Amino acid sequence: MRPVYLSAVSYVLGDETPLSGIDDETLQQQAPTLYGQGLKNCRVTDQPAARLAADSARQTLDTVTGRTVDAIVYCTDTAPDKTTTGDVWDFLLELDLPATPVTVVGGAGCGNLVSGLQAARNMILAEDAATVLLVTSDRVKTGTRYLDNGQTALSDGAASCLVSAEPHRQAFLLRGLATTFRVDIGTTAVRPIAVARATTAEIRKAIRRVTEPLGICPADFGRLLTGHYARTALAFLAMSAEVPVERVYCPAVAGVGHCFSADALISLVALTNTGEIADGEHVLILAVSPRSWSVAAATFAGTRGEPS
Amino acid sequence: MSVPQWPAEFEEILQRHLPLSDGPIDGSALLADLGLDSLGTVSLVMELEDSMDIAIPDDLLVAETFTSADSLWAAVSSLLEGAAAA
């Protein structure tokens, strides 16, 4: 199969705000628990999601010669400010890319990143595009920022990257992508053990779909990149993924909060900027919603662009 | 202390998820007192299903099933008997 790479990851976030400083009754009730679980701040802005998307995408495009791409995948689960189409037009105009085709991806909540990667990768494999800009952007417009499922605080922000046939600097080779859905499992409030079992089973199913064709197992991943959740939720995800909890990598959880589907890309930036990842190291991205579980396996191709 | 009526495989699996257990499992002891937490419960369910080739239905995935080794074995053995009769 033709190699597909992920690179040029960028992100923008709302203003860093202590949980205690947010006018949100539900969040305030849960704040002591969240602090005890590793959360500290979340990110808040009144900027539209399309503007956040454009601000992040602009940084990613700065790495591309001519600042053009063949296609854009725009991931969001945030209700549009105008209409979905109207927001996309605003986004394209902000980027000065008025003639670039866009595909909007949603429906997997905070797992939209992997759905977006699937769409972008398929464009590359179909040779419809050589370079695709992927952006995921969301913000809280109404309701509480407290997210019971994952025990976390939602943040406003966007992240973006290139998905391309040719490797760029600090690229990751996309090895496999999979998503499973179960919208019939009920709620944790009514049947917590059954929901947890279904979640674990679906995560393992998604991971097997990725690892078995590659002939690797969960223990081969040096890092598990998940959403920014409470410590207990991270431990649960690690157990479900059959990856040692020590390999969970989400260094920005305290300062960023849970930025929807952008979290894993934010962690990738930290991983490459700090030099904590070695050429050829495998990372497993696990991006989940309460009813869907998305997995991406990637290998760091380093500065040369090819995995060692 | 009740006398265990379950096979060694069940005892071994259960032991792996009871960090506070010391010696053979008392069938009537509370599993929570032996260290079974919510994370361990899910991990235990997955291992029981994989190792004993059973599928625990949702209606048995309730707190009462995981109260003690006796209650858990009652659920597991009923599934094993159902599978054997099928």
Side-chain angles (χ1 to χ4, degrees):
Chain A
M1 187 186 291
R2 190 181 188 191
V4 178
Y5 298 90
L6 182 163
S7 63
V9 184
S10 294
Y11 61 86
V12 297
L13 301 168
D15 297 329
E16 189 165 10
T17 310
L19 300 184
S20 59
I22 295 175
D23 183 16
D24 180 331
E25 186 177 350
T26 304
L27 185 67
Q28 292 313 313
Q29 289 170 349
Q30 299 294 332
T33 301
L34 293 175
Y35 282 124
Q37 287 280 331
L39 278 297
K40 184 179 175 186
N41 299 328
C42 63
R43 302 304 187 110
V44 180
T45 183
D46 56 7
Q47 294 288 320
R51 172 72 63 80
L52 295 169
D55 289 346
S56 181
R58 206 172 286 116
Q59 295 176 35
T60 291
L61 288 171
D62 283 344
T63 68
V64 181
T65 304
R67 301 187 77 259
T68 61
V69 291
D70 301 310
I72 296 172
V73 173
Y74 184 111
C75 307
T76 190
D77 257 35
T78 300
D81 288 290
K82 295 179 179 173
T83 62
T84 300
T85 301
D87 285 3
V88 165
W89 290 354
D90 287 346
F91 167 73
L92 290 175
L93 291 170
E94 289 261 2
L95 284 182
D96 197 22
L97 292 176
T100 306
V102 177
T103 300
V104 176
V105 169
C110 301
N112 279 342
L113 170 66
V114 175
S115 302
L117 287 172
Q118 287 173 310
R121 181 190 61 171
N122 290 344
M123 292 175 189
I124 304 289
L125 294 178
E127 301 188 359
D128 289 335
T131 304
V132 178
L133 169 69
L134 181 149
V135 60
T136 180
S137 183
D138 286 285
R139 75 181 185 96
V140 177
K141 296 173 70 174
T142 58
T144 180
R145 287 182 180 274
Y146 176 67
L147 187 64
D148 183 48
N149 196 301
Q151 273 196 327
T152 192
L154 289 165
S155 285
D156 307 330
S160 53
C161 64
L162 296 177
V163 180
S164 57
E166 297 297 327
H168 295 260
R169 191 174 175 277
Q170 304 279 57
F172 287 82
L173 175 64
L174 286 175
R175 307 290 302 279
L177 303 165
T179 296
T180 66
F181 268 73
R182 276 288 304 274
V183 299
D184 59 347
I185 61 173
T187 65
T188 53
V190 177
R191 41 184 209 164
I193 301 173
V195 170
R197 190 272 301 269
T199 299
T200 298
E202 292 300 317
I203 287 172
R204 292 183 182 180
K205 185 195 298 180
I207 290 173
R208 279 197 304 274
R209 285 182 184 170
V210 166
T211 55
E212 287 183 354
L214 298 172
I216 60 177
C217 66
D220 293 324
F221 293 97
R223 315 275 177 167
L224 174 64
L225 277 57
T226 71
H228 294 161
Y229 301 115
R231 285 195 192 97
T232 50
L234 295 177
F236 173 73
L237 292 176
M239 181 279 292
S240 297
E242 298 180 283
V243 173
V245 71
E246 299 78 24
R247 297 187 191 176
V248 172
Y249 185 81
C250 50
V253 63
V256 171
H258 176 39
C259 197
F260 295 82
S261 184
D263 286 351
L265 289 179
I266 293 169
S267 293
L268 278 184
V269 172
L271 203 50
T272 52
N273 283 354
T274 58
E276 294 179 77
I277 187 167
D279 288 10
E281 184 174 334
H282 303 308
V283 299
L284 182 65
I285 294 172
L286 175 58
V288 306
S289 82
R291 302 288 184 275
S292 64
W293 303 274
S294 301
V295 169
T299 302
F300 187 49
T303 54
R304 297 185 310 281
E306 295 286 352
S308 56
Chain B
M1 180 171 171
S2 61
V3 178
Q5 299 294 316
W6 47 74
E9 182 183 19
F10 177 80
E11 173 94 11
E12 289 164 8
I13 293 170
L14 191 51
Q15 283 282 12
R16 281 197 283 275
H17 300 276
L18 302 176
L20 304 181
S21 173
D22 182 18
I25 300 169
D26 178 350
S28 61
L30 296 178
L31 295 182
D33 289 346
L34 298 176
L36 185 68
D37 59 13
S38 57
L39 192 65
T41 300
V42 180
S43 185
L44 171 61
V45 169
M46 300 303 291
E47 189 170 354
L48 285 171
E49 291 189 324
D50 288 345
S51 298
M52 306 193 80
D53 198 23
I54 54 174
I56 303 176
D58 285 355
D59 61 351
L60 287 178
L61 292 174
V62 293
E64 291 72 21
T65 300
F66 300 90
T67 302
S68 66
D70 282 342
S71 63
L72 181 58
W73 175 244
V76 170
S77 60
S78 70
L79 294 170
L80 290 171
E81 287 165 11

